[in-house]
Structure formats: C-alpha cells, structure tokens
Amino acid sequence: MTTDTPRQSLAGKVALITGGARRVGAAIARELHAAGANVVIHHHRSVDAAQKLCAELERSRPNSTLRLSADLLDIASLGALVEDTRRHFGQLDILINNASTFYPTPVGEITLENWDDLIGSNLKAPLFLSQAAATALRLSNGLILNIVDIHGMRPLRRYPTYSVAKAGLIMLTKSLARELGPHVRVNAIAPGPVMWPADGVADADLQKKIIGRTALKRSGSAADIARTALFFAADAPFITGQIMAVDGGRSIGW
C-alpha cells in the first residue's frame, strides 16, 4: 500500500510542458507541481506569463521550475529543450506535448503557410520533440502525454487542417507507444468543450449549441485536463497507447 498523497505522488519527477505558460498548459504545470514534480515551462512568445507562473510556483517550492523559450517549428532547436532540462534537473520523466495552433482553414482558402503552421505545431513538433526526449525518458521509465482533441477523431467543420493534424497526433500516440515500450508509456488526452478560444471564434450561440450536445450539459475546465494529466503521470503505470476523451460525453452523442 502506498502512503503517497496527491501532493507527493510526483516528488522527484521532472516534467517538461510545451506551451506551459498559459491556459491548459499552465493548469497542468500547477497540478503536477502541486503533486511534487519539478516543472519546465516552455514558451515561445508568452514571456510575461511564463515568468509570472514560474515566480508563483517558486514561492511555494524554491528551485522547482525552469523556463525555456523555443520556437517549436524550428526542429533543430528541440533537442536543446531536452538537454537544458537534463542539465538543470539531471533527468526528464514526463514530456507533455501541449503547445498547439488553432484557427479555421475553410477549403478553398487553405495556404501552404497554414498547412506548415498547423501540422508543424500540432504534429511535427510533438514527433521530433518526443524523438529527442526518447533516450532520457527510457532512462526514467517515463511518460509522453499528448494533448490532442476530440476533433482528431471527428472533424470540426471549417477546420480540416487542424483536424488532420490532431488525427495525426492521435496515431502518433499509438505508434510511439509501440515504438518506445516497454520503458516509456505514451498516452493522450482529447479535450472537448473545455476552454473556448481566446480570439472569440466560438460565439455565445455556438458555445450553447456545443454544450447542448454533451451528455453533462456543461463546459469543462482546464482543471479537468490537468487532473487527467496527473492521473496518467502518477496513477496509470499499466496504461499506454490510449486516448482519453475529457469532453463531458460529447463524443458519445455526436
């Protein structure tokens, strides 16, 4: 019987979270940190948010965070994220591929730039960062956790490129689970209506319509995703290659 409490279950572990400064990424960082993990907050442009989050977490536990900046579309720079993490903390136990780009690309308006950006952030970067982290994660019997989307399983109208990218990330999750087992577990969380886009793409009527199609008839929160991430990191040693929908039942009543 374990005597760990939720606040101690990841003590001594190190988690690298891409896009960890804001929204879902920040919620995951707080949750894993509260469970005892040291967290590496990756960001690109969200410098202020990353600095504030690290300062917040350092107040509760000094020397427990690291802030790293990188453009995930620059594949050549991804190895440095892993090496800087290991240099600072001595290990890497958990990689969370959370960073994502999201915007509509209606058919007839899709550009090569759209394709490179959406596929790059949602699929290409997770693949190459996971590859760069594989050796470190094997040493720690670690975890890769990808943040996908229920629309990687059912397409979102007007978002074909994004939906394709997340579908690819779902298959990457399953493929890496086979490639990296038995030493590394690889799983994914597929959020549903959890955090509405900050750019106001989903207006009030659309939000109401989407919520009405969930079994629970309400929105979720970033905390729901963060708690699921903690489950995979701390309490799921025999689970790999799985996609967990956290969507209030949206995907069962499409």
Side-chain angles (χ1 to χ4, degrees):
M1 177 182 293
T2 179
T3 57
D4 283 353
T5 68
R7 296 190 68 83
Q8 300 170 332
S9 57
L10 295 182
K13 303 294 186 181
V14 176
L16 167 59
I17 306 161
T18 67
R22 302 188 305 117
R23 294 168 62 83
V24 169
I28 293 173
R30 290 186 176 99
E31 190 77 16
L32 300 191
H33 186 270
N38 294 325
V39 295
V40 180
I41 308 298
H42 156 267
H43 66 90
H44 184 200
R45 298 184 180 89
S46 301
V47 179
D48 290 345
Q51 289 175 334
K52 289 177 182 177
L53 178 58
C54 286
E56 170 195 326
L57 299 179
E58 287 287 328
R59 283 194 292 271
S60 64
R61 182 156 43 88
N63 305 313
S64 61
T65 70
L66 175 65
R67 179 176 63 86
L68 295 177
S69 175
D71 178 359
L72 297 183
L73 298 183
D74 179 10
I75 300 302
S77 72
L78 298 184
L81 290 175
V82 176
E83 291 309 310
D84 288 348
T85 296
R86 295 184 69 187
R87 188 177 301 112
H88 188 85
F89 286 118
Q91 65 195 71
L92 174 63
D93 303 276
I94 303 162
L95 169 62
I96 299 184
N97 287 308
N98 165 75
S100 174
T101 305
F102 173 82
Y103 51 83
T105 54
V107 172
E109 301 176 17
I110 302 171
T111 66
L112 184 57
E113 182 181 7
N114 297 151
W115 175 265
D116 289 342
D117 183 30
L118 288 162
I119 297 295
S121 65
N122 290 291
L123 179 56
K124 186 177 179 181
L127 166 60
F128 283 96
L129 183 54
S130 296
Q131 179 171 268
T135 297
L137 293 170
R138 285 191 184 102
L139 292 173
S140 63
N141 290 308
L143 167 71
I144 296 173
L145 186 60
N146 296 320
I147 306 302
V148 296
D149 194 303
I150 59 171
H151 294 296
M153 296 177 275
R154 302 261 189 146
L156 179 61
R157 191 168 182 266
R158 299 182 68 249
Y159 290 77
T161 313
Y162 172 81
S163 298
V164 166
K166 289 299 190 183
L169 187 55
I170 288 171
M171 183 52 69
L172 179 63
T173 300
K174 297 177 181 180
S175 297
L176 289 178
R178 296 201 68 176
E179 295 289 329
L180 300 180
H183 301 296
V184 180
R185 293 177 296 120
V186 187
N187 292 295
I189 301 172
V194 169
M195 291 194 78
W196 303 105
D199 59 7
V201 168
D203 60 29
D205 288 340
L206 179 57
Q207 291 181 28
K208 183 177 180 180
K209 182 178 180 180
I210 291 172
I211 291 169
R213 291 178 176 174
T214 68
L216 298 182
K217 307 303 181 188
R218 59 181 174 84
S219 294
S221 69
D224 292 310
I225 307 305
R227 284 190 291 266
T228 307
L230 178 59
F231 164 73
F232 277 120
D235 297 312
F238 198 55
I239 299 177
T240 193
Q242 300 304 305
I243 315 301
M244 175 72 77
V246 182
D247 64 355
R250 172 70 176 92
S251 54
I252 63 172
W254 217 270

